[in-house]
Amino acid sequence: MGPLVVNVADLLHRRGARRHERLIAPSLSGRAVVGTVVPANEPVDVDVDLESVSDGILATGSVTARWRSECRRCLADVADRAHGDFQELFEPHAREGETYPLHHDHVDLEPLARETLLLELPLAPLCGPECRGLCPTCGADLNQGACRCAPPSRDPRWEALDVLREQLNH
């Protein structure tokens, strides 16, 4: 059994019974989205309350892990912590996309932890909201200061609108 498989036999026979679990998985597979990744050596922390309900086991809790990526503007390394909350039902006859399977007297929290974590990973992480990015001409990091490129020339297709803007400003 994996590190996120929990025996719930004691809960199944007592409706309303609750138990708190704090689990740490050394690694999960498939922990990346659009270049943002939870490294394989980074532990995933699952904090969950398990409760026996009429339909099965209700799992309420959170998943936390550190992630790494590149800033989408300047390509600097970025790292932070992802945290996601969940409340899901485990039942003997799981409904695809709605509930998770209850395997006899065990619940496997790994798919739930993975899905919750993936939803919390940023699609376009930034090193900071004020990041100025890279110069499109020379590739210099504009966060370090202005580059020495000539200012970009205006697109001739916008010339008529530039004339109108000048007229409105005067």
Side-chain angles (χ1 to χ4, degrees):
M1 292 194 306
L4 297 180
V5 176
V6 179
N7 187 330
V8 292
D10 61 321
L11 298 176
L12 289 173
H13 302 295
R14 298 180 330 195
R15 297 287 179 240
R18 298 181 73 146
R19 186 173 75 223
H20 180 81
E21 296 278 343
R22 177 144 185 198
L23 308 165
I24 297 176
S27 66
L28 293 178
S29 61
R31 301 184 302 174
V33 60
V34 192
T36 303
V37 63
V38 175
N41 61 345
E42 190 65 44
V44 176
D45 184 28
V46 179
D47 196 26
V48 63
D49 287 318
L50 299 168
E51 180 180 1
S52 178
V53 295
S54 60
D55 294 336
I57 299 292
L58 182 65
T60 305
S62 63
V63 179
T64 306
R66 292 195 55 78
W67 57 265
R68 289 194 175 96
S69 189
E70 292 179 334
C71 174
R72 292 296 185 238
R73 292 182 189 161
C74 70
L75 303 178
D77 289 336
V78 181
D80 202 355
R81 184 169 288 282
H83 175 86
D85 296 322
F86 60 82
Q87 184 174 40
E88 295 292 338
L89 180 64
F90 288 81
E91 58 184 3
H93 304 289
R95 291 170 284 171
E96 181 69 31
E98 294 182 31
T99 62
Y100 289 87
L102 173 62
H103 301 290
H104 304 290
D105 56 357
H106 290 83
V107 293
D108 185 0
L109 297 170
E110 183 173 336
L112 173 58
R114 182 183 314 106
E115 291 169 13
T116 302
L117 193 57
L118 286 176
L119 290 173
E120 297 302 321
L121 294 177
L123 295 175
L126 298 176
C127 61
E130 68 287 341
C131 179
R132 296 180 60 211
L134 301 175
C135 172
T137 305
C138 68
D141 186 350
L142 298 176
N143 296 313
Q144 305 297 322
C147 64
R148 298 175 192 225
C149 295
S153 60
R154 292 188 177 240
D155 188 332
R157 296 174 291 180
W158 296 101
E159 191 172 309
L161 291 175
D162 289 337
V163 170
L164 284 174
R165 182 177 5 169
E166 290 297 323
Q167 290 173 354
L168 288 174
N169 288 337
H170 292 302

